[in-house]
Amino acid sequence: MNLAEGVQLVSFGVLALMMISAALGVVLLSNIVYSAFLLGAVFISIAGMYILLNAGFVAAAQVVIYVGAVNVLILFAIMLVNKREDFKVIPRAWIRQLSTAVVCAGLFALLSVMVLSTPWSYATEVIAGDAATVIIGQHFFSDFLLPFELASVLLLMALVGAIILARREFLPDDVPADATQSPILTLPERPRDLIGANTEGSDRS
């Protein structure tokens, strides 16, 4: 093993450990804001994996789209929603947690078996290199045009939903049933003749 392979192996181990730790923090932390920040760390770790695979464009797209757009949109949606109700204690919550752990362990075992049993082989095609951006753009606007447009519509719907949730009017809980509108408080206006007299007196002085 030469120096380059050792650096790649160590980088892969650090990125994998960072990804697994951040993913566990996303699902285990009770603070949803911290979970959203850790989700950004997961996306950045995935971008690092793409860099190790010599997929620079995909890594840049991962950071720009998922970290710079999706994760920021999630943070805005979390912080703009006016949530005033605390989490309630669920009776026998350990049953749900145990069921979730069993399902996750089963999925992890299934994916592990699939990865180990798949006959992986190196691609024999010529690497695109700097022309990868042009080739990916051609596929986006020809073969994958419909999924590309659906993803943009989905992000637009999420942004509109966040704006609607942020613009909700605050309604107190102890509002009487007959009180539909609150009284409008206005300041009494000064009579015009008094205003005119004050201005004339100031001019004479």
Side-chain angles (χ1 to χ4, degrees):
M1 180 184 296
N2 54 19
L3 181 60
E5 293 179 355
V7 171
Q8 288 184 355
L9 184 61
V10 172
S11 301
F12 176 79
V14 171
L15 289 173
L17 182 62
M18 178 180 173
M19 185 188 305
I20 295 174
S21 302
L24 289 176
V26 170
V27 298
L28 294 179
L29 290 181
S30 58
N31 194 332
I32 193 171
V33 179
Y34 293 159
S35 298
F37 279 111
L38 289 176
L39 183 62
V42 173
F43 292 150
I44 293 175
S45 303
I46 296 174
M49 293 288 186
Y50 287 138
I51 291 176
L52 292 179
L53 294 173
N54 294 325
F57 176 80
V58 182
Q62 174 79 17
V63 174
V64 172
I65 296 175
Y66 284 95
V67 180
V70 176
N71 197 43
V72 173
L73 183 63
I74 292 173
L75 285 173
F76 268 93
I78 291 171
M79 294 180 178
L80 291 177
V81 172
N82 186 17
K83 181 174 177 55
R84 294 176 292 133
E85 184 180 357
D86 297 331
F87 289 103
K88 297 180 180 179
V89 179
I90 301 176
R92 297 180 180 178
W94 62 272
I95 299 178
R96 299 185 180 183
Q97 296 176 356
L98 182 61
S99 302
T100 304
V102 170
V103 172
C104 293
L107 289 175
F108 181 76
L110 179 62
L111 292 175
S112 300
V113 171
M114 183 187 68
V115 169
L116 295 176
S117 61
T118 301
W120 301 100
S121 60
Y122 291 100
T124 57
E125 299 179 357
V126 180
I127 300 176
D130 296 334
T133 305
V134 178
I135 297 174
I136 292 174
Q138 291 176 355
H139 283 292
F140 266 150
F141 290 97
S142 59
D143 301 332
F144 302 99
L145 180 61
L146 182 59
F148 181 74
E149 294 297 331
L150 288 179
S152 62
V153 173
L154 180 62
L155 292 176
L156 179 62
M157 291 171 59
L159 180 60
V160 172
I163 294 173
I164 292 175
L165 290 175
R167 290 178 58 88
R168 289 186 306 176
E169 297 181 357
F170 176 74
L171 296 177
D173 296 333
D174 53 351
V175 177
D178 54 349
T180 56
Q181 294 181 354
S182 59
I184 301 176
L185 301 178
T186 57
L187 295 175
E189 297 183 357
R190 298 179 62 185
R192 295 183 180 275
D193 52 355
L194 295 179
I195 298 175
N198 291 333
T199 53
E200 290 177 1
S202 61
D203 293 339
R204 292 175 182 176
S205 61

